[in-house]
Amino acid sequence: GLLLQEMTMAGLHELRFTEEKPLLRGQDAELENSDVFLSTVDTDWKEHDIETPYGLLHVVIRGSPKGNRPAILTYHDVGLNHKLCFNTFFNYEDMQEITKHFVVCHVDAPGQQAGASQFPQGYQYPSMDQLAAMLPSVVQHFGFKYVIGIGVGAGAYVLAKFALIFPDLVEGLVLMNIDPNGKGWIDWAAAKLSGLTSTLPDIVLSHLFSQEELMNNTELVQSYRQQIGSVVNQFNLQLFLNMYNGRRDLDINRPGTVPNAKTLRCPVMLVVGDNAPAEEGVVECNSKLDPTNTTFLKMADSGGLPQVTQPGKLTEAFKYFLQGMGYITHLKDRRLSGGTARPSLCARAVPSASMTRLARSRTASLTSASSVDGTRPRACTHSESTEAMGQINHTMEVSC
């Protein structure tokens, strides 16, 4: 995998695809009927099987590269595929304001897509490092210059690895439910014992949902139990789960804490629900990242899958993240403020062109230099408070 770091991007070829109309579908009915859950007619999405150094990757893409804008590239969690993980989020109506500006590329981990053939006995599933090293082949195949990654759980870990190995290919990351730590021997033993007493779908559900959700949110949990057991090949799923459970710690440290500390160089938005099993891992990941380019978004009432249970709030946060990067200059005034039903994202959600994109000062609101859609500006962030000048902390924990 290390040899791929030396690949040159000068020879990347650019492919063109016919741009279709954005999706304008609701998401509420998807979880009410399991037959509808995966039956959305993706007439404007094109499927591809891409050859990589570690096997084929199933990729679904809509649109074509648009100037200097990056592609939005997603990677799902264990037990899911791109549809189970992201349909509700990307079919949400307000996401059209975003997706019309970008090519969207969903990556399925090897063998996890619907209808995937079962791997043969003895097949060696790619390691987490190798899964990350497969992604440059996707970038090259479609001629992307760089990507903004959206990952959940295991997918967030893969995208973080990808950004560490190939930082020049990653413009920004939205990491939901990321756990930067490998399993210790106690966790390993507990997982082995659980595997002897629980079915594979139940093991996956305990990874995706908190105990409270498993007990109380029965409709959502039962829908996912059915889909995990029927849509994803169980043998392939077990291989992916085993590899994720055998992962090593992400080699990241906050700059200045250890000599030659490695960290994510791009803007990062960490997302976790306030009732999610991954909450501790996300908090620890936040402590290991550079506070000048990291935003920590803790979402109320969203549980283990915020992109499913709170797609509207996540869409709004993602809009500000992108706007601060200069890719969307005008947003509809649908902020997360104004009422008890939709608590505010922050006191004044003003996008900054520094690395945080959702920053705020404790003493004064922030303003930013204007940006131009389709470019990659690096304007400076200014504070109206002289006290805050030069020492703005861009890490933010909010509940919305």
Side-chain angles (χ1 to χ4, degrees), residues 209-258:
F209 300 102
S210 67
Q211 289 301 312
E212 181 179 344
E213 287 180 293
L214 293 174
M215 293 176 60
N216 299 328
N217 200 351
T218 56
E219 183 178 352
L220 179 65
V221 171
Q222 289 302 324
S223 177
Y224 270 91
R225 175 180 280 109
Q226 178 180 351
Q227 299 301 325
I228 292 168
S230 61
V231 174
V232 183
N233 182 282
Q234 299 298 282
F235 181 80
N236 297 352
L237 168 55
Q238 185 69 67
L239 294 178
F240 186 24
L241 178 62
N242 291 345
M243 192 56 68
Y244 177 64
N245 286 339
R247 70 191 182 277
R248 296 176 296 177
D249 292 352
L250 274 178
D251 186 17
I252 54 173
N253 288 284
R254 179 162 291 186
T257 58
V258 298

Side-chain angles (χ1 to χ4, degrees), residues 154-202:
Y157 183 97
V158 170
L159 289 180
K161 277 279 187 182
F162 175 51
L164 287 170
I165 302 172
F166 305 98
D168 292 337
L169 296 181
V170 183
E171 180 73 358
L173 289 174
V174 177
L175 304 177
M176 290 178 263
N177 300 337
I178 186 171
D179 187 345
N181 301 317
K183 283 184 176 292
W185 71 268
I186 295 179
D187 295 326
W188 178 85
K192 286 293 185 181
L193 181 61
S194 176
L196 297 175
T197 59
S198 304
T199 65
L200 183 56
D202 285 334

Side-chain angles (χ1 to χ4, degrees), residues 297-353:
L297 180 63
K298 186 176 179 181
M299 299 181 66
D301 304 320
S302 62
L305 294 178
Q307 77 280 15
V308 173
T309 56
Q310 297 289 355
K313 293 177 181 178
L314 184 59
T315 297
E316 200 73 11
F318 188 42
K319 285 180 182 179
Y320 289 118
F321 184 71
L322 291 172
Q323 188 183 39
M325 296 172 73
Y327 291 113
I328 300 178
T329 56
H330 302 288
L331 296 176
K332 296 178 182 178
D333 191 14
R334 294 185 182 180
R335 300 182 181 183
L336 298 177
S337 58
T340 56
R342 303 184 72 188
S344 62
L345 174 64
C346 57
R348 286 184 61 188
V350 182
S352 94

Side-chain angles (χ1 to χ4, degrees), residues 179-181 252 270 279-289:
D179 187 345
N181 301 317
I252 54 173
L270 298 175
E279 182 179 0
E280 290 185 8
V282 179
V283 170
E284 182 165 354
C285 186
N286 182 58
S287 71
K288 294 183 175 182
L289 295 179

